[in-house]
């Protein structure tokens, strides 16, 4: 089969749209990401190699050769659900409340894998965990950690203990299971509605800073939760 | 005094050079950073406000108006020394070994403030803690945390316990004082020379990831060291 040579080819347009929209289909970049995804059970819809499946010119119209090393794969967005994640009560789930920086979202997905959290739930306003920056920051962990959108109501009606990471006095100890750890927006923290519904967990620290970076707070609390579960 | 209107003015050139080189003089951006620095005891050599001290055109040749909000300050690079940091033995010092990402360096400076470390020592190959990305990631903590370059020999001859954060089996417990915590390069970890000279401290985690992000590891170990000191 000769390589696709038209930028207007239907598959090429579909890949370009997936890169732009991160909706029902997502694009992974580079041979390592593709291998890891397939090893983790992801099924590629299509793989496009520069100069093989598409011409160099068409490939360059889709993606940057350096970051992709000349190969991209189109995948269905993996489908987990909030209910499935919340049902794994032998550990804790993570919920992110408007965490906007994709680097933070990806780093927290990596921490969820390292410390065996049930998954990462995304309240409204979060960066997409399947965007290229988040995938890079997750060091591939996004391929094996379930993520799903969630509403505040799904959390408050879950029957699990809700624990918000917040500055100030703690009202609860760090949980090891049967709980959701909620981490808030980089600037404004956990939103008032959820803060009201949740116990507060805190990290003892000096008064020299007002707060920690959200990924630093997640690292400390998830590591401690894991230690208590062991 | 009318605003400086020449891009070739000596002070303008000096500010531009400081932004490029981050050598003996550094540039801070925006009114908040300048206020915080002055409150922390930094002495400005010069402050340039867009439209006041320099013309709009000259300011725009120096810096981006959005990120600076139209004001930059030229400061002497604050001078701490490895010896001064290593002498604060009632807590732990942090040493970074070729940590290349300025976001990681800045985040670790913020953690050093949060958990009262003696300071941040920079082995060869680290990103500049006074570069704009590192300053932003430090959330201003770089203004109050001593940092200084250090050589491996200064560490090994310091008489302090050296502890390297490394994957695998720990050979020592997390220290609370009289020690240096060494964190390594994002890809290759702590260099062999220092790894040989140091005890290993490790973070219990699942086998689902090979390693943590260096700033995540620093968050967990510095928080635990602080807790043990309290």
């Amino acid at each position: 089969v000769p390589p696709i040579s038209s930028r207007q080819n239907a598959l090429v347009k579909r890949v370009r749209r997936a890169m732009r929209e991160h909706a029902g289909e997502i694009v992974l970049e580079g041979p390592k990401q593709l291998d890891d995804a397939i090893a983790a059970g992801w099924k590629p819809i299509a793989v496009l190699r520069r100069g093989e499946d598409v011409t160099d010119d068409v490939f360059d119209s889709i993606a940057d050769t350096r970051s992709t090393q000349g190969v991209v794969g189109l995948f269905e967005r993996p489908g987990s659900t909030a209910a499935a994640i919340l049902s794994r009560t032998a550990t804790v789930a993570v919920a992110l409340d408007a965490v906007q920086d994709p680097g933070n979202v990806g780093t927290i997905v990596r921490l969820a894998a390292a410390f065996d959290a049930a998954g990462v739930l995304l309240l409204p306003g979060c960066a997409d965990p399947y965007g290229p920056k988040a995938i890079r920051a997750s060091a591939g962990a996004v391929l094996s950690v379930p993520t799903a959108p969630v509403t505040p109501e799904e959390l408050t009606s879950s029957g699990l203990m809700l624990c918000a990471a917040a500055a100030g006095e703690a009202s609860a100890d760090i949980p090891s299971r049967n709980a959701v750890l909620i981490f808030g927006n980089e600037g404004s923290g956990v939103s008032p509605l959820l803060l009201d519904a949740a116990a507060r967990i805190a990290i003892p620290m000096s008064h020299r800073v007002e707060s920690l970076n959200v990924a630093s707070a997640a690292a400390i609390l998830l590591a401690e939760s894991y230690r208590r579960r062991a």
Side-chain angles (χ1 to χ4, degrees), chain A residues 161-175 195-203:
Chain A
M161 182 175 184
L162 304 185
C163 297
E169 239 7 61
S171 67
D173 218 359
I174 299 167
L195 212 50
D196 277 352
R200 281 169 186 246
I201 51 177
I203 296 165

Side-chain angles (χ1 to χ4, degrees), chain A residues 169-197:
Chain A
E169 239 7 61
S171 67
D173 218 359
I174 299 167
S176 60
R177 62 191 80 240
N178 273 312
V180 182
L181 301 191
I182 308 171
F183 298 96
N185 173 264
E186 287 86 353
S188 54
V190 175
S191 57
L193 187 146
L194 281 167
L195 212 50
D196 277 352

Side-chain angles (χ1 to χ4, degrees), chain A residues 18 27 40 45 64 73 82 90 92 102 106 127 132 142 150 183 195 199 201 203 220:
Chain A
V27 173
I45 298 163
D64 175 56
V92 296
V142 77
V150 75
F183 298 96
L195 212 50
I201 51 177
I203 296 165
I220 295 163

